[in-house]
Amino acid sequence: VVMRLLKKCFLIVAVVLSGASVPGCGGGAFDTAEVSGRVTCNGEPINRGQVIFRPFVQNSEERPGKSAIGHLNENGEFSMLTTYDLGDGAVVGTHKVQVIPKGYVIDDDDEEEEQSSAPVKRYPCIQRGGFTEHIVEVKGGETNILDIELSSTK
C-alpha cells in the first residue's frame, strides 16, 4: 500500500514538473522575433564580430528582457540572434545595439578585453568596447531585417 501511494505521488510530481516546463518550449518570459541584417561602418561591413541587442525602456532603469547575441560574418551580416534558445531571435521591443568587432569579447561583467595580441581592425564609428547606442525596434510576429549603418562622429 505504501509503495502504491509513493508511486502515485511520484507520478503526480513528475507530471506537474514536466507540465511546468512545457509552456514556451524552453523559451523565456518574453516573446521573441527573428532578426537578421547587416552592420556597416561608413558603408564598409564590420567583418566578423558580435552584435548584441539589449532591450530597454526609454527613461527607465528597467530591462524588459534578456539580451540577444549574434555573430557577424565577413560581409557584416548576422542571421541567428539568440536570446533563450539557439536562433530564437531578440525580445520584441526597443533595443540598444552594441557591435563588437572581432578581437574583442564581452565577459560576464560586461567589460571588454582583448582576445589576442593580433592586430585588430579599428572602425572609426565604434568606440572602444563597441558601445554604439544605435537604437532599433524588433517587431513581433515577423522576421525583422535590420540593417545597421554606423557613421563616425569624427
Side-chain angles (χ1 to χ4, degrees):
V1 176
V2 173
M3 282 303 277
R4 195 178 307 174
L5 184 58
L6 285 174
K7 285 182 182 179
K8 283 184 181 180
C9 286
F10 178 76
L11 181 60
I12 290 171
V13 169
V15 168
V16 168
L17 289 178
S18 67
S21 64
V22 170
C25 299
F30 298 91
D31 290 336
T32 59
E34 289 183 29
V35 181
S36 64
R38 185 171 189 236
V39 181
T40 56
C41 171
N42 296 329
E44 295 292 320
I46 308 280
N47 45 356
R48 304 232 184 252
Q50 297 175 334
V51 61
I52 300 173
F53 282 58
R54 298 181 188 273
F56 84 105
V57 174
Q58 193 74 29
N59 301 321
S60 173
E61 295 298 316
E62 179 184 342
R63 274 187 72 178
K66 185 179 172 189
S67 297
I69 188 166
H71 296 279
L72 299 171
N73 66 18
E74 63 277 354
N75 298 316
E77 300 163 335
F78 60 93
S79 61
M80 277 194 64
L81 282 183
T82 299
T83 299
Y84 302 107
D85 297 314
L86 183 63
D88 64 351
V91 170
V92 173
T94 306
H95 294 260
K96 287 184 180 178
V97 177
Q98 181 180 17
V99 177
I100 303 143
K102 184 179 179 182
Y104 286 92
V105 293
I106 296 295
D107 65 16
D108 292 337
D109 296 326
D110 288 345
E111 292 182 14
E112 70 186 77
E113 61 182 50
E114 291 197 39
Q115 278 183 320
S116 69
S117 59
V120 175
K121 181 174 181 180
R122 301 287 181 195
Y123 296 93
C125 36
I126 295 181
Q127 301 169 0
R128 184 164 169 74
F131 292 97
T132 62
E133 295 297 320
H134 193 80
I135 297 175
V136 298
E137 188 73 24
V138 174
K139 298 176 183 171
E142 61 184 76
T143 298
N144 295 264
I145 300 173
L146 302 173
D147 290 333
I148 300 166
E149 171 60 39
L150 306 174
S151 59
S152 61
T153 57
K154 295 181 180 181

